């Protein structure tokens, strides 16, 4: 086996604010970065020949709700990060985005819930819209991490229908 830096993807954890580099207690030596601190991380990734970064948001409690609507906000942390990276770095590095509702829901689950039941099909509708939004912002690879049944095929069809057939899943 032979591993090179080209075989790795750097996860980047995002946080709102200015000039923040916040340690993540459960992951020693791993940090959340505000958008204005992203350049140093991306610069190092490019210097080390990493092909891609994966973005993961930390959503403030006040922006969370039962429906995860912040996931569809064009001004959310992930969308802003995609735009910033694409503007500054063009296509020097790829961008992968997590597709799931858990960072955005007040209950912390990947799916919509009603009467203690996960609403699979209703959740997929939101995941499709989240995927399309991320593709529109410039995301290169959509990475669904939720556990909804049938979402990959539905996301692929939806991206294709909307002209994003080159966006990978």
């Amino acid at each position: 086996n032979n591993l090179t830096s080209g075989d790795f993807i750097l996860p980047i954890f995002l946080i709102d604010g200015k000039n923040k580099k916040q340690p993540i207690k459960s992951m020693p030596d791993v940090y959340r970065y505000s958008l204005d601190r992203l350049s140093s991380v991306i610069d190092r990734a490019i210097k080390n020949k990493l092909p891609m970064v994966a973005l993961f948001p930390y959503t403030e409690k006040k922006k969370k709700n039962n429906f995860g609507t912040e996931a569809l906000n064009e001004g959310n942390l992930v969308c802003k990060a995609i735009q910033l990276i694409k503007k500054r770095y063009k296509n020097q590095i790829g961008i992968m985005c997590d597709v799931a509702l858990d960072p955005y829901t007040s209950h912390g689950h990947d799916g919509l819930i009603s009467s203690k039941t996960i609403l699979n099909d209703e959740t997929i509708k939101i995941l499709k819209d989240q995927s399309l939004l991320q593709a529109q912002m410039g995301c290169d690879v959509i990475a669904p991490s939720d556990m909804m049944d049938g979402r990959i095929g539905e996301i692929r069809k939806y991206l294709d229908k909307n002209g994003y057939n080159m966006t990978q899943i």
Side-chain angles (χ1 to χ4, degrees), residues 90-160:
K90 309 293 183 246
N91 287 317
Q92 293 180 59
I93 193 159
I95 301 172
M96 178 183 286
C97 294
D98 183 35
V99 173
L101 295 184
D102 60 310
Y104 306 102
T105 57
S106 49
H107 49 71
H109 197 282
D110 279 330
L112 301 180
I113 300 173
S114 177
S115 302
K116 297 184 181 180
T117 300
I118 298 168
L119 305 175
N120 189 80
D121 295 349
E122 292 83 349
T123 301
I124 289 175
K125 290 175 187 172
I126 297 172
L127 297 175
K128 288 172 23 182
D129 288 335
Q130 182 185 22
S131 297
L132 180 60
L133 175 62
Q134 291 175 351
Q136 290 168 334
M137 295 295 133
C139 180
D140 301 298
V141 179
I142 302 296
S145 68
D146 67 286
M147 300 303 284
M148 299 302 116
D149 291 335
R151 85 250 194 238
I152 302 299
E154 290 297 315
I155 290 170
R156 176 78 276 152
K157 284 189 278 188
Y158 197 60
L159 290 173
D160 291 352

Side-chain angles (χ1 to χ4, degrees), residues 16 58-65 70 103-106:
D16 272 321
Y58 175 80
T59 306
E60 297 173 358
K61 196 173 187 175
K62 66 182 178 184
K63 293 182 179 180
K64 294 181 179 193
N65 61 34
E70 181 67 8
Y104 306 102
T105 57
S106 49

Side-chain angles (χ1 to χ4, degrees), residues 2-167:
N2 184 27
L3 287 176
T4 68
S5 59
D7 295 310
F8 293 96
I9 297 170
L10 177 67
I12 299 177
F13 302 94
L14 306 168
I15 190 166
D16 272 321
K18 298 272 188 220
N19 199 29
K20 288 187 179 178
K21 181 181 175 183
Q22 180 186 77
I24 301 174
K25 291 177 185 174
S26 60
M27 295 187 281
D29 299 321
V30 177
Y31 302 88
R32 291 186 184 99
Y33 296 91
S34 56
L35 296 179
D36 59 335
R37 299 283 302 260
L38 271 185
S39 292
S40 63
V41 179
I42 302 291
D43 289 344
R44 272 185 299 154
I46 291 170
K47 181 182 174 195
N48 287 303
K49 298 182 173 122
L50 296 177
M52 186 168 289
V53 295
L55 304 177
F56 299 92
Y58 175 80
T59 306
E60 297 173 358
K61 196 173 187 175
K62 66 182 178 184
K63 293 182 179 180
K64 294 181 179 193
N65 61 34
N66 287 338
F67 307 103
T69 54
E70 181 67 8
L72 305 180
N73 175 4
E74 289 182 18
N76 72 30
L77 202 48
V78 169
C79 291
K80 286 192 236 179
I82 295 168
Q83 292 173 316
L84 184 146
I85 294 166
K86 284 296 181 179
K87 183 177 179 182
R88 175 154 185 187
Y89 298 96
K90 309 293 183 246
N91 287 317
Q92 293 180 59
I93 193 159
I95 301 172
M96 178 183 286
C97 294
D98 183 35
V99 173
L101 295 184
D102 60 310
Y104 306 102
T105 57
S106 49
H107 49 71
H109 197 282
D110 279 330
L112 301 180
I113 300 173
S114 177
S115 302
K116 297 184 181 180
T117 300
I118 298 168
L119 305 175
N120 189 80
D121 295 349
E122 292 83 349
T123 301
I124 289 175
K125 290 175 187 172
I126 297 172
L127 297 175
K128 288 172 23 182
D129 288 335
Q130 182 185 22
S131 297
L132 180 60
L133 175 62
Q134 291 175 351
Q136 290 168 334
M137 295 295 133
C139 180
D140 301 298
V141 179
I142 302 296
S145 68
D146 67 286
M147 300 303 284
M148 299 302 116
D149 291 335
R151 85 250 194 238
I152 302 299
E154 290 297 315
I155 290 170
R156 176 78 276 152
K157 284 189 278 188
Y158 197 60
L159 290 173
D160 291 352
K161 176 184 162 191
N162 286 280
Y164 290 92
N165 56 321
M166 296 305 290
T167 302

